Amino acid sequence: VFIGHEFRVNRIAFLTQLGYYVYWPYHFEDQMYNRLGFKRYFGKEKVFAVISLKSHGAKAEGVEFGFGIRL
């Protein structure tokens, strides 16, 4: 379960997300996580690229890169 937000300024967006794992069999990490990132739109704003950091508190879990097409 998560809640997120995208703050856009022209073709650049700042992403924030706060989530909670309902099923979490690992006891060494928290069930809550946050994700922060940037999104850049290209062309007629249907194609975009994303880079984000997912972390549990102050412990980074990973950096994510993505590309997408908005339908």
Side-chain angles (χ1 to χ4, degrees):
V1 179
F2 71 91
I3 185 168
H5 182 264
E6 179 178 310
F7 178 69
R8 276 183 76 171
V9 177
N10 295 328
R11 293 185 177 195
I12 297 176
F14 178 68
L15 308 170
T16 59
Q17 191 179 86
L18 181 65
Y20 178 80
Y21 291 108
V22 177
Y23 175 71
W24 188 248
Y26 310 107
H27 300 290
F28 62 91
E29 293 284 351
D30 262 352
Q31 284 182 278
M32 301 240 357
Y33 69 89
N34 55 16
R35 178 178 282 132
L36 302 171
F38 290 100
K39 185 185 281 189
R40 170 73 160 97
Y41 289 94
F42 299 98
K44 296 187 180 197
E45 300 189 4
K46 291 194 175 208
V47 178
F48 59 88
V50 181
I51 182 169
S52 63
L53 173 71
K54 184 177 175 187
S55 65
H56 294 268
K59 296 180 186 176
E61 182 177 327
V63 177
E64 301 170 342
F65 300 96
F67 297 98
I69 300 172
R70 186 174 289 223
L71 299 176

